[in-house]
């Protein structure tokens, strides 16, 4: 399967703060093939979640988004809100980090999953209960008949996240957007949820964009990786290219800051903090934290340089090393 399901071109998202446009996503372009997983990797505040929400158009009204988001060849940014409501939850679903706020505390979990099917008319009234039980079984919830009557607060974090994943599958979407889906869970449950993601992706042939700050999750899940920093993708390629032969200093920094099994040496953290989105520097946004930064880096934004085989890096250093 090599067909493109989602193509994003030069996506720009601005928040409006006191009438001033503040750029949170600054020209993101990416492409996801059917049945594949793209992991968007980066620190908190890099614009990953805003980018995901821009694709699904679930940002506050004052936000301005431009560029192109082609889903199955259709432009999502030009669709009416009514058309987007039809697409959300049926063709494209989203799993959020915080399962407690993704579920309505006043309704039983089974009712909420059934509601998704009713809203999109994907199951006949008499079949909904059976389908909810089937879904809860699929996502590994024991005693689903009993569990579907539970309120969200009566479930553990892992069970709630399984329920949210079940809800996202209610209408068998083609594209699943997952925003740090395991961050709030402990390591054991995290591993179980990632295994569940892989199982359902295989079974449903689903395409996934998964946002994470965790390299371990990226290694486990990714076919391709987009490394994001200060609202831009700074490196892009398949998992072995980006994590095996990283080209961008930011990707190298992330790898050096991640513990490896059996490692004895101290980890090297990336110094400093990402720039404020309200005050982006003129040149490379990573310059203040980069050990290789030059005057050119501070003055001029780097372009994407092809390293070959679909591997790209936005760094002046890449340009000079491949010139
Ligand atoms: Fe570092 Fe310069 Fe490359 Fe930016 S462009 S990552 S500052 S070497």
């Amino acid at each position: 399967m090599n067909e493109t399901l989602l193509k994003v071109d030069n996506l720009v998202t601005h928040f409006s703060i006191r009438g001033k446009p503040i750029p949170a996503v600054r020209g993101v372009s990416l492409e996801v093939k059917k049945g594949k997983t793209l992991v968007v990797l980066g620190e908190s505040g890099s614009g990953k979640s805003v980018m995901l929400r821009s694709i699904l158009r679930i940002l506050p009204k004052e936000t301005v988004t431009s560029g192109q988001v082609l889903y199955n060849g259709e432009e999502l940014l030009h669709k009416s809100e009514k058309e987007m409501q039809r697409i959300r939850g049926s063709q494209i679903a989203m799993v959020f980090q915080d399962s407690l706020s993704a579920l309505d505390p006043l309704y039983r979990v089974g009712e909420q999953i059934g509601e998704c099917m009713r809203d999109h008319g994907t199951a006949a009234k008499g079949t909904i209960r059976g389908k909810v039980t089937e879904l809860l079984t699929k996502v590994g919830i024991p005693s689903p008949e009993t569990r579907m009557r539970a309120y969200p607060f009566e479930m553990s974090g892992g069970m709630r996240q399984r329920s949210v994943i079940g809800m996202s599958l209610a209408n068998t979407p083609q594209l699943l957007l997952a925003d740090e889906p395991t961050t709030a869970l402990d390591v054991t449950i995290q591993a179980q949820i990632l295994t569940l993601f892989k199982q359902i992706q295989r079974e449903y042939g689903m395409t996934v964009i998964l946002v994470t700050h965790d390299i371990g999750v990226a290694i486990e899940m990714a076919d391709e990786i987009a490394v994001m920093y200060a609202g831009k993708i700074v490196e892009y390629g398949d998992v072995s290219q980006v994590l095996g032969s990283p080209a961008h200093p930011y990707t190298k920094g992330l790898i050096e800051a991640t513990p490896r099994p059996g490692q004895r040496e101290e980890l090297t953290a990336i110094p400093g903090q990402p720039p404020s989105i309200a005050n982006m520097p003129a040149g490379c946004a990573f310059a203040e934290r980069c050990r290789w930064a030059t005057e050119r880096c501070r003055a001029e934004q780097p372009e994407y340089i092809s390293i070959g085989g679909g591997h790209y890096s936005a760094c002046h250093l890449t340009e000079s090393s491949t010139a």
Side-chain angles (χ1 to χ4, degrees):
M1 226 175 345
N2 217 13
E3 223 179 304
T4 297
L5 181 68
L6 184 83
K7 189 169 189 293
V8 174
D9 195 25
N10 197 23
L11 182 72
V12 175
T13 302
H14 285 98
F15 292 125
S16 175
I17 298 180
R18 284 189 284 277
K20 193 178 166 212
I22 307 290
V25 176
R26 305 186 302 139
V28 162
S29 298
L30 53 87
E31 202 171 325
V32 200
K33 304 267 186 254
K34 282 189 178 167
K36 299 289 182 190
T37 299
L38 171 73
V39 167
V40 183
L41 179 70
E43 291 163 290
S44 299
S46 58
K48 313 181 296 294
S49 299
V50 178
M51 189 266 291
L52 221 51
R53 284 166 167 77
S54 303
I55 292 172
L56 205 51
R57 292 184 39 202
I58 50 169
L59 286 164
K61 276 204 179 74
E62 316 73 62
T63 314
V64 180
T65 302
S66 63
Q68 203 175 43
V69 178
L70 289 178
Y71 167 72
N72 259 334
E74 288 186 41
E75 175 55 84
L76 294 187
L77 297 187
H78 295 163
K79 292 212 175 285
S80 65
E81 181 49 29
K82 201 169 169 197
E83 287 172 311
M84 282 309 294
Q85 279 173 5
R86 190 177 47 77
I87 290 170
R88 286 184 209 118
S90 59
Q91 297 181 48
I92 307 177
M94 187 146 175
V95 174
F96 297 92
Q97 175 181 341
D98 180 4
S99 57
L100 203 51
S101 56
L103 292 163
D104 190 324
L106 301 177
Y107 291 90
R108 298 175 201 273
V109 166
E111 286 169 351
Q112 299 188 48
I113 299 176
E115 192 64 31
C116 287
M117 295 176 190
R118 255 189 302 275
D119 282 353
H120 292 278
T122 51
K125 204 175 168 197
T127 65
I128 289 179
R129 192 183 170 84
K131 290 201 174 219
V132 171
T133 312
E134 210 177 287
L135 268 179
L136 291 179
T137 308
K138 198 175 285 293
V139 296
I141 295 198
S143 318
E145 282 284 356
T146 312
R147 283 302 189 171
M148 68 192 283
R149 290 196 295 275
Y151 288 95
F153 70 86
E154 295 178 304
M155 290 180 146
S156 67
M159 284 296 148
R160 264 200 311 271
Q161 194 59 310
R162 284 176 189 271
S163 304
V164 169
I165 294 170
M167 191 153 76
S168 73
L169 298 176
N171 301 311
T172 45
Q174 289 189 56
L175 176 63
L176 186 66
L177 308 178
D179 188 1
E180 302 267 12
T182 57
T183 301
L185 305 171
D186 69 44
V187 200
T188 318
I189 307 294
Q190 172 173 308
Q192 292 172 4
I193 296 288
L194 292 180
T195 305
L196 173 64
F197 258 107
K198 286 198 279 193
Q199 269 169 11
I200 56 179
Q201 183 179 22
R202 258 197 314 272
E203 192 174 327
Y204 287 69
M206 242 171 8
T207 308
V208 176
I209 303 182
L210 188 148
V211 154
T212 184
H213 65 279
D214 186 332
I215 287 190
V217 172
I219 293 171
E220 187 72 28
M221 299 298 292
D223 291 303
E224 294 197 317
I225 296 185
V227 181
M228 204 161 166
Y229 186 78
K232 282 193 164 197
I233 290 174
V234 295
E235 183 158 2
Y236 196 97
D238 69 33
V239 64
S240 61
Q241 291 168 333
V242 174
L243 298 183
S245 314
H248 196 281
Y250 178 58
T251 316
K252 291 178 186 169
L254 286 177
I255 294 170
E256 283 168 15
T258 304
R260 289 182 300 277
Q263 176 171 359
R264 286 172 184 275
E265 319 86 67
E266 257 185 51
L267 293 173
T268 318
I270 303 174
Q273 297 293 326
S276 156
I277 60 168
N279 197 15
M280 282 292 172
C284 173
F286 190 58
E288 285 310 307
R289 307 173 76 187
C290 179
R291 71 187 95 148
W292 294 287
T294 62
E295 279 316 302
R296 182 186 177 199
C297 299
R298 292 189 177 86
E300 197 186 309
Q301 290 205 22
E303 300 287 333
Y304 290 104
I305 307 298
S306 169
I307 304 156
H311 187 191
Y312 293 86
S313 163
C315 170
H316 294 308
L317 205 66
T318 310
E319 188 177 28
S320 57
S321 68
T322 57

